[in-house]
Amino acid sequence: MSQKVLLTSKEVNIILHRLACQLIEKHLDFSDTIIIGLQPRGSFLAKRIVKLLQEEYNINTIKFGLLDITFFRDDFRRGEKTLEANKTEIDFIVEDKKVIFIDDVLYTGRSIRSALTAIQSFGRPSEIELLVLIDRRFSRHLPIQPDYRGRQVDAINNEKVKVCWTENEGEDTVYLVTTNTQTPENV
């Protein structure tokens, strides 16, 4: 297994500021906009974006929540590993609001499909947008595209994108991890 740095801490910080500015351009004061971080990995990115909007850009009217999609996944109960649910923290109605889903990596699109189903429990949004730090564009199983992307990555079969956040891995870095699929017989 080998890993290559895709984004350093400095590059992640620059991208977060750019994404925050793009959101401001589109949503201005956020009075009709709700930011939803997708549990578990999207919550780190969403919290960072909300903090930037509040502290750096003085936008204090942001409604923010976290959405767990575990029980809405199409692979729930299909694998041998039991999926553990996270906590949904949405204490408001999304009816007729603009919702921005935030996740760290857009891969197959299945998590976003699950989020689209799960959010309906909280009302019918007027529109839904997607913000991701990393867009793995050649891996889609569903026709889902981000509205805001930090970086586009062309990862192939044996490559995985690993996003590390200071809050849980001690660093803000994005890696491209390559697993060696060769066995001793193939060498």
Side-chain angles (χ1 to χ4, degrees):
M1 182 172 84
S2 65
Q3 63 183 21
K4 171 185 162 189
V5 174
L6 289 177
L7 296 174
T8 64
S9 177
K10 183 177 181 179
E11 291 169 316
V12 168
N13 190 45
I14 291 168
I15 287 171
L16 293 179
H17 278 274
R18 177 173 47 82
L19 291 169
C21 287
Q22 288 175 346
L23 289 174
I24 293 168
E25 287 175 7
K26 175 93 186 265
H27 297 275
L28 300 175
D29 65 356
F30 288 78
S31 58
D32 285 330
T33 303
I34 297 171
I35 294 178
I36 303 287
L38 301 185
Q39 291 276 36
R41 307 285 308 171
S43 63
F44 300 109
L45 176 58
K47 288 175 184 175
R48 289 279 190 92
I49 293 286
V50 168
K51 184 177 179 182
L52 272 176
L53 291 169
Q54 291 172 335
E55 294 178 5
E56 300 285 327
Y57 301 101
N58 299 316
I59 299 171
N60 296 311
T61 58
I62 299 171
K63 287 187 181 166
F64 170 67
L66 299 173
L67 181 64
D68 178 54
I69 60 168
T70 303
F71 300 115
F72 296 92
R73 292 172 53 115
D74 59 7
D75 62 351
F76 182 68
R77 293 192 180 153
R78 286 183 178 237
E80 293 177 20
K81 182 181 173 188
T82 304
L83 297 174
E84 291 186 31
N86 292 285
K87 191 174 183 181
T88 291
E89 297 175 17
I90 299 176
D91 59 355
F92 42 79
I93 302 296
V94 302
E95 191 73 30
D96 294 324
K97 300 289 185 190
K98 297 173 186 169
V99 171
I100 303 167
F101 285 149
I102 297 184
D103 207 0
D104 62 346
V105 178
L106 176 57
Y107 183 34
T108 62
R110 292 184 182 280
S111 293
I112 305 308
R113 189 221 39 90
S114 300
L116 290 167
T117 303
I119 199 67
Q120 298 299 315
S121 301
F122 299 92
R124 184 173 183 246
S126 62
E127 67 180 72
I128 298 176
E129 296 178 334
L130 175 61
L131 180 149
V132 297
L133 181 64
I134 302 293
D135 175 13
R136 288 188 58 169
R137 67 179 176 159
F138 293 135
S139 306
R140 222 67 89 237
H141 294 177
L142 300 169
I144 293 174
Q145 301 301 323
D147 297 284
Y148 313 92
R149 75 170 55 89
R151 173 74 53 92
Q152 196 167 53
V153 175
D154 298 335
I156 55 174
N157 300 335
N158 62 342
E159 295 175 326
K160 179 182 177 186
V161 175
K162 180 181 176 188
V163 179
C164 298
W165 296 105
T166 301
E167 293 85 347
N168 68 332
E169 284 103 359
E171 64 177 340
D172 288 339
T173 310
V174 179
Y175 296 99
L176 182 64
V177 179
T178 305
T179 56
N180 187 356
T181 56
Q182 291 183 336
T183 60
E185 298 86 26
N186 295 342
V187 178

